[in-house]
Every structure is written in C-alpha cells, then in structure tokens.
Amino acid sequence: MSEHFNDRQLIDTLFELNAADDRARVESHLAGCPACRRRADALRARFDQLSLLREDVAASETIIAGTVRAARLRRFKPREDRKESPWASPTPGLPRAAMFCESRAEWQAPQRTPPRRWRPVAAFALVLLVLAVVPLALREEKPAQRARQDAPASAPATPEAEVAAMDMDADEAGMIGVSEPMQVAALAKDEAPRFREEKESMNAADIEDLATGRAAGDKVAAPAEAGALALADAKGGELAFAARETPRPVSLHGLAAGSRKAASSMLPRAVPFDLPKADGSWTADAVRIDVLNREGRTAIAATNPSADWIAVLLIYHAGTNATLSKTVVMPPVSATNLTFDLQEGGWR
Amino acid sequence: MQAVKDIAESDEAIMLNFQQGDPFALEILVRRHADALLGFLVRMCRDRSQAEDLFQETFLRVQSRAHQFKPGRRFKSWLYAIAAHLAVDHQRRSRWRSWFSLDDAPMQNMSDHRPDPSQAAASEDRKRQVRAALDRLPARQKATLVLAYFEDLTYPEVAATMGCSVGTVKTQVSRALHTLAGLLPDPAAGGAS
C-alpha cells in the first residue's frame, strides 16, 4: 500500500482540480485504501452542505423594474449645461421635434465620460467670475429684487425640481396631460412598426373613448401644461415609446399621486426621430400622440390618420412602480381623423 | 413578437442592439439574467438588500461600459465579471463589519417552504453555519468558488470571468475548498467543527 494522500490531494481529486494522471493515481489509491476512502467520503459529505445555499433566488419585479428605470434615468439624464428646453427649436419656424436629431446620438450610443482635466481650470475661472460679479450684483440688488417680484414664476431649474413642481401643480389643479397635436413625429413608411394585438387590456369601448376623449373624468390641461410624446420605430420593428417634457414630463399628469415621480423617471429624455423635409412637411406618416388619464393609469394613444391605425401604449402603475407593460394596437376606428383643439379644450 | 425576439436572439446580439441604441435591449438582458445574477450576488453578499443594490449597480455598469463589450466575447462572462468585481470590492470594503458578526445575517426571503418548524430551524441553523464558513473566505477565492460551484461555470468560463488563467482558477478553488474543509460544520456531528 502506498503512502496515504492528504486532504488537499483528495479535494483536488474530488473537484477535478489536479492533472488527469494525478487524479488517476489518487483514484486508484482510493480503490484499495479504506482509510483514504473514508476521509474522501467525509470531505464529500462536508462539501455537500454547500448545496444548502444553492436554492433558487427569484428577482422580484420591483428590483427588475427599478433597475431598468434607474438605467433609463441615468442614460437620459439631461446635460447639466443645457438651460433652455431641449425641445426648443434653434430655427424659428422649424418644428421643435427637429431637435430630436440632436438627441439621437444620446439615444443611440452610451456616452463615454469626457476627460475632466478642464474642471480645475473651470473652477478657478468661476471663482474669478464670482469675485468680479458679486460686487456689481450687490450694487444693483434693489432693482433686481423688484424685477424678481414683478416677474412670473420661472420654471424649476432641474428635472427633479420640475417633477416636484409638477406634482404640486397637478395635485392642485387635478389636471390631466394631453399632448399638443403639433408635436408629431415621423415614421418612415418602410419602417412602419409591426404590431401585435393584445386586446385583453382594453376593449373597443375603451379605445373609442380614448380616441374621442369622451371618457368620464378626462380633463384637459392648459396648453402651457401640455407635454409632448412621440412614437419611434425601434430595432426589430417594435414600437419604442418616448416622451419628453415641454417643459415638464407629460406623464406626470396622468398618474395618481405618489407614482408620478416613478413614472416620470422611466421615461427616456431623448428620442430618435427623423427630420421633416426642408419645406416643413414630414417625410413619412405623422403620428399624433395623445395622453389621457384612465382611472389610475396613463393611456397614450398614437394615431396615424393616413395609415388608419391607432397604437395605444399603456403605462400601468402599481404602488410606486410604474411599468410600461403593454403595446396594444387596435384596428382602425372612425375616430382616427379627430384632432384635439387646445383652444377649445376638446376633440373635433 | 417581443417574446419571440427574446428567445431567438442571443445575449451577445441583444447587447449589440443595445450598443446601437435599442432602448429595450437592456431590459431584455436584465430580465433574462435577473434570477441567476441575483442568486450569485446573494451568495456573495451577507444579505439580500446588499445583493439587490449590487444587482442594480451591475446593470448600470453594463450600461455605462457597453462600449467596452467586444463582439465575440460571451455576455454572461462579461456580466458576471462586472458583478464579481463589485461583489469582491464590496466584501473587501465591508470586511471590518464581518469581524463583528460572522455568524449572523440570516438571509431574508430565501425560503418560504417550511414543512416542519423544528426541521426548518435546524436547516436554517445549518445554512447559517455554511454561509458563515463561505463568508470567511477571501473575497476573490469566494467569488471564484461561487462561480464554479453554484453558477456551474466551467473552469475556463470562470477564468474568463475573473480575468485570470485556468490554472489560477483551479488554485483559488483548491485553496478555498481546503479552507472550507476546516470551516464547514461536520455533518455527522451536527455542529460546527
């Protein structure tokens, strides 16, 4: 009988960590050595206890949705140095949606962090600027204060502040957001999204109500409160839902108190769209996007009059977790040519 | 249609779509790997809430470093490499805490099926001892062992995930098991060794 093997050699053999010939040598020894076999069996039984930790772990919908939402929020976080609304068109007369082209790069490619070597220089310049400006500002403090008192309330500086302000406004006014009809997006004909029909979520009456705006309790936001949404064709023919605030997240209006922030955070803040033609007409089918409140959920209807379809994207919310869960496409209905009149506050 | 796409497309193809701007691609990957990745992180961490934090951070890093994903690389290895790095880093940072509470931190929501209270209590107790033994391993050894033993990755896959050679993986696993042999409770004695 050859010399006994130690624990390390036995463990390496049990888990196939040693070379094949070493393993064969140990196994051959185990066949004829009861003492080593007992020790190997004891080690195996000890390691079998690790399987107690092998039980399945299920990730909850909360953590999944939260992760996706956090990723979207981080990905579409607006540039800090952009003060005016990114929807604002740089060229008078050009539809504001043209700005989507600028946003497209943000949508398409994850951003690399730029080098930050300029920051110390910028900080130093800022200090100099403050030192130069503060004395001047102190001298003109009184006129400035008067101007602030006379001026209307300005928009919050950050998205978070906008969200908070929006919550407050919506709570006070009980308003429901409806997108401006002029905020349209283009879908190329050859990229027309393929739809699946999932009618279990809404019945025909719901759709009719949605399209005509007749649903009980639906109210209309003032134009200044209106947001804009758009429909884009994502990869693989799936519909991509996108929204952007003008100046605030439109989705906030449609959701019950407490879930607005969650719903807002899941909305991407940059959208890929095609440019209109030089004469201002759209290169493809235009879609009109409407948002209506439907008893605790937000329904977003995208209407394409020329193609006779209505896509309804629903955002459900449960507790504080809002989820974009369904893409419901309904057959053409008679209401496709309706437009929403912001001045009259109704459909015509 | 989405379901069909989920099944048909590989992780790597979906990751490519994500690199090209598909807004739904990341969600597909999150859902596809959620249970397995969370399971890995739960085994690596001392409690579930920490594991969930790391789970979210893992996918945020997948997003922010998407441009670093090279075609031809296996997505799962890349994903677990990020998760393992985060878990190892987390364990190292919180090591001081573990000196004070080596045998506590019962896992929450890990088991809802308890046929017999006394049996379940004994099982939970044994599980705690096993977990405590696992937690005593050096972070990198633990990550290597968990990937190889619990996630059923082959040694070359673990090597790709941990960014080292297969030989190094085997050495780490061997050392981890040798240490565990002295830490795991003796099943015959019914208590800690």
Side-chain angles (χ1 to χ4, degrees):
Chain A
M1 178 75 53
S2 59
E3 194 177 336
H4 296 307
F5 289 102
N6 60 29
D7 279 1
R8 186 176 294 279
Q9 290 168 310
L10 293 174
I11 289 169
D12 286 354
T13 301
L14 287 176
F15 290 89
E16 299 181 8
L17 294 165
N18 47 6
D21 51 345
D22 288 342
R23 194 155 58 244
R25 197 157 52 86
V26 174
E27 284 169 349
S28 167
H29 173 83
L30 287 175
C33 178
C36 284
R37 201 162 54 242
R38 273 197 302 277
R39 181 60 189 156
D41 289 342
L43 285 170
R44 188 181 289 114
R46 197 166 279 222
F47 290 127
D48 280 349
Q49 296 176 105
L50 286 172
S51 61
L52 288 170
L53 304 180
R54 197 186 267 278
E55 60 193 321
D56 291 336
V57 175
S60 67
E61 183 60 29
T62 304
I63 180 68
I64 292 174
T67 301
V68 172
R69 194 163 56 237
R72 285 181 180 161
L73 186 62
R74 184 176 289 190
R75 189 174 189 186
F76 299 109
K77 190 175 180 183
R79 282 161 42 189
E80 291 172 3
D81 57 347
R82 181 186 287 161
K83 290 188 176 175
E84 66 176 6
S85 166
W87 275 72
S89 172
T91 310
L94 198 66
R96 284 184 288 176
M99 283 298 291
F100 283 139
C101 278
E102 186 214 356
S103 309
R104 192 170 198 158
E106 293 176 38
W107 173 284
Q108 287 187 335
Q111 299 288 301
R112 283 172 184 266
T113 306
R116 295 175 178 173
R117 287 190 295 272
W118 54 269
R119 286 195 172 176
V121 178
F124 182 67
L126 185 66
V127 169
L128 288 180
L129 190 65
V130 168
L131 289 175
V133 168
V134 165
L136 291 173
L138 288 175
R139 251 179 271 158
E140 297 174 1
E141 188 176 7
K142 285 182 181 177
Q145 280 177 345
R146 273 199 303 275
R148 276 200 297 274
Q149 287 166 0
D150 295 341
S154 58
T158 65
E160 290 75 15
E162 286 184 350
V163 165
M166 190 65 162
D167 284 347
M168 202 183 305
D169 292 348
D171 283 340
E172 288 167 0
M175 289 187 298
I176 299 144
V178 177
S179 63
E180 292 178 63
M182 293 306 293
Q183 302 285 357
V184 292
L187 284 174
K189 275 184 189 294
D190 57 349
E191 293 176 355
R194 298 184 296 277
F195 300 128
R196 57 196 165 124
E197 293 194 8
E198 295 181 14
K199 297 183 182 180
E200 72 279 5
S201 297
M202 295 186 87
N203 57 36
D206 283 336
I207 290 295
E208 187 72 16
D209 285 347
L210 183 64
T212 58
R214 285 198 302 260
D218 285 348
K219 296 177 184 177
V220 177
E225 293 290 344
L229 291 158
L231 195 64
D233 187 15
K235 297 279 178 188
E238 291 291 330
L239 279 179
F241 158 71
R244 192 150 191 168
E245 62 266 41
T246 54
R248 295 165 177 174
V250 66
S251 66
L252 297 185
H253 284 306
L255 295 173
S259 61
R260 292 185 180 123
K261 204 166 284 185
S264 169
S265 66
M266 66 167 286
L267 298 179
R269 292 172 183 273
V271 196
F273 287 123
D274 292 326
L275 267 177
K277 287 179 181 174
D279 63 0
S281 63
W282 293 96
T283 55
D285 299 338
V287 292
R288 194 191 69 228
I289 311 294
D290 304 308
V291 183
L292 294 170
N293 189 34
R294 301 285 302 164
E295 296 175 356
R297 72 193 182 202
T298 299
I300 300 146
T303 310
N304 183 339
S306 61
D308 289 339
W309 53 257
I310 287 184
V312 181
L313 297 101
L314 302 175
I315 296 180
Y316 290 99
H317 68 94
T320 57
N321 298 304
T323 308
L324 174 61
S325 58
K326 292 285 182 186
T327 300
V328 184
V329 177
M330 303 303 292
V333 296
S334 58
T336 50
N337 291 321
L338 286 176
T339 55
F340 187 80
D341 189 331
L342 285 171
Q343 301 303 320
E344 295 293 325
W347 298 86
R348 57 180 170 81
Chain B
M1 188 182 300
Q2 189 72 45
V4 172
K5 193 167 95 170
D6 287 358
I7 294 167
E9 289 196 36
S10 66
D11 290 344
E12 292 72 27
I14 294 172
M15 191 60 201
L16 192 64
N17 286 346
F18 179 62
Q19 287 177 322
Q20 293 173 348
D22 184 342
F24 292 138
L26 187 66
E27 182 168 358
I28 294 172
L29 292 171
V30 171
R31 291 187 180 281
R32 192 177 279 188
H33 292 278
D35 292 349
L37 185 69
L38 187 62
F40 167 68
L41 291 169
V42 160
R43 288 175 196 109
M44 286 297 296
C45 297
R46 292 183 64 80
D47 68 57
R48 183 160 180 140
S49 64
Q50 287 175 346
E52 289 182 347
D53 287 347
L54 292 180
F55 175 89
Q56 188 168 95
E57 185 57 31
T58 299
F59 279 104
L60 290 177
R61 290 208 181 181
V62 165
Q63 174 179 261
S64 64
R65 298 179 182 185
H67 60 279
Q68 294 176 355
F69 182 77
K70 301 282 188 297
R73 180 163 188 187
R74 202 166 163 233
F75 174 77
K76 188 178 176 186
S77 293
W78 189 63
L79 176 70
Y80 277 77
I82 293 172
H85 177 81
L86 285 170
V88 167
D89 194 43
H90 169 79
Q91 185 174 334
R92 283 176 178 158
R93 274 188 283 111
S94 60
R95 170 163 286 189
W96 64 272
R97 270 176 273 170
S98 63
W99 287 107
F100 297 96
S101 55
L102 279 174
D103 57 353
D104 57 6
M107 300 302 295
Q108 299 165 7
N109 306 324
M110 290 291 287
S111 176
D112 294 323
H113 308 290
R114 297 182 177 186
D116 176 27
S118 60
Q119 216 172 42
S123 171
E124 283 299 316
D125 189 47
R126 178 60 57 90
K127 198 187 295 181
R128 265 197 295 277
Q129 292 177 44
V130 173
R131 165 156 288 282
L134 194 65
D135 286 341
R136 285 197 183 192
L137 293 176
R140 199 166 169 82
Q141 281 184 25
K142 181 179 170 185
T144 308
L145 180 68
V146 169
L147 286 170
Y149 184 84
F150 293 102
E151 308 308 320
D152 295 327
L153 267 60
T154 63
Y155 291 133
E157 285 175 333
V158 176
T161 300
M162 299 299 290
C164 58
S165 68
V166 175
T168 303
V169 167
K170 288 186 174 181
T171 302
Q172 296 268 10
V173 171
S174 176
R175 285 178 182 167
L177 290 169
H178 189 67
T179 307
L180 276 181
L183 294 173
L184 285 170
D186 184 354
S193 61

